[in-house]
Amino acid sequence: MGKSKMRKSIAGVLVAMMMMVPFAGCAKNAENVPENTTTKETSEQKETPNTDTSKEEGIQVGIVLPTKDEPRWIQDQTRFSSILDEAGFTYQILFSQGSSATEKSNVETLISKGIKVLIICPQDTSAVGAAVQLAKDSGVTVIGYDRLITGTDALDYNVGFNSESVGVAQGQYLIDNAVGTGNPLYLYAGALSDENAFVFFKGAWSVLQPKIADGTFVIKNSNEAIKVQDTLDLTREQMAAILGQVTTDWDFNVAKSKAEAHLTSAAAKDKGNVSILAPNDGTARSIADVFASDKDVTNYVITGQDAEKASIQYVIDGKQSMTVLKDTRTLTDAAVAMSKQILNNEEVVVNSEYDNGAKKVPMNQLPVLTVTKDTVKEYIFDSGYYEASEFTGLK
Ligand code: BGC
């Protein structure tokens, strides 16, 4: 449990507000596919750098994920492999390893292997546009995955979670667990190159701002946020200025050193019982460790996102207060269902859309759940997301 005593948590279920708009689009350049196409692993391809899972040439579905270095994306990869194997698709999964150039060459590789569908989670929201255009020009149907892709009309579909509701869940958790007024608030955010980071922050700010304005919280680590603390609806520039100060770049080390710098420059009176908006699990664990080891921090409440295994253990141990479950089973299922519809030239079923600046992108948007000590059994173990036996300290 470390030195911190977590404040009592209030279990919250956040059902995303899904716009249940029936929406149908049709795939272009799709081909009929035999139901049970068998695939064979090629060991040489398995050893190719950045190539995680590969199938023989003439593959149907190409998947590009941002990095192998975060457990989140390994979970997606594992799940994709199992359901695509089950569905009998030929596929290949490549990782961009934090580089838009690698991402583009991954897309080129997949196009050269004849993919009909590209499922891509961008490294950089706007830089990915060139790769998406390339795929489109080659007759490939492109599905954006999890992270929003902006500024290109070459994107066909998106599958993802309601990211604004992720931020709302994080902000609301801090509010529900704050006692009295004057609670020191430390804000952290994701990478500026990821549109999702803006959407998460927007969601969190929408609930936190009124509670900053009424004195419940006092921002301690961002003068850009303090400048606009009376403004509910921030402009893109205002948000970018805040994110520019408190970004973690989705990197554990950046998160750690930023938290260390913040606590080094904060006076003891700016510590005590603190509330911390951490954007995802990896950064939350780094930041939590830093706050837990500061002698002037008596207690902290910290958010997260992704329900990574290590964070579920942190939640059980009382070292991370909550995480947001974005069930990779439902997300990969949705992406594969969409791929199947495209490959079979069927109607593509979506429930929403988002404006990416260049077009309205038909989207399948999924809900999220707030996981705390109180809900971990139901949402994580009973639902079969992880086995309880993989964790320690459960009562
Ligand atoms: C995803 C999060 C993830 C983060 C860092 C975001 O775009 O939505 O689930 O934790 O990127 O990879």
Side-chain angles (χ1 to χ4, degrees), residues 36-104:
N36 285 314
T37 311
T38 46
T39 56
K40 197 155 70 69
E41 296 255 349
T42 331
S43 52
E44 308 82 64
Q45 284 174 331
K46 261 210 139 171
E47 280 155 29
T48 310
N50 301 317
T51 302
D52 187 87
T53 304
S54 54
K55 300 289 171 175
E56 61 195 10
E57 301 286 322
I59 56 177
Q60 297 165 305
V61 180
I63 301 172
V64 178
L65 297 174
T67 178
K68 279 181 178 174
D69 300 337
E70 291 174 36
R72 155 76 222 262
W73 304 114
I74 297 293
Q75 257 174 269
D76 295 67
Q77 177 231 342
T78 308
R79 174 81 188 162
F80 264 130
S81 299
S82 103
I83 56 178
L84 284 166
D85 278 337
E86 221 166 87
F89 285 116
T90 48
Y91 63 94
Q92 185 165 13
I93 304 174
L94 299 174
F95 287 89
S96 307
Q97 293 308 101
S99 154
S100 292
T102 306
E103 179 175 78
K104 186 144 176 274

Side-chain angles (χ1 to χ4, degrees), residues 70 72-73 146-147 194 196 200 250 280 305-306 326:
E70 291 174 36
R72 155 76 222 262
W73 304 114
D146 189 292
R147 292 183 178 167
D194 178 3
N196 284 14
F200 298 142
W250 294 133
N280 76 346
Q305 153 175 214
D306 291 335
K326 305 201 307 187

Side-chain angles (χ1 to χ4, degrees), residues 201 224-225 228 231 233-243:
F201 190 82
E224 292 293 348
V228 293
T231 309
D233 290 318
L234 300 178
T235 64
R236 178 81 181 182
E237 290 66 35
Q238 288 169 330
M239 245 196 286
I242 301 171
L243 263 60

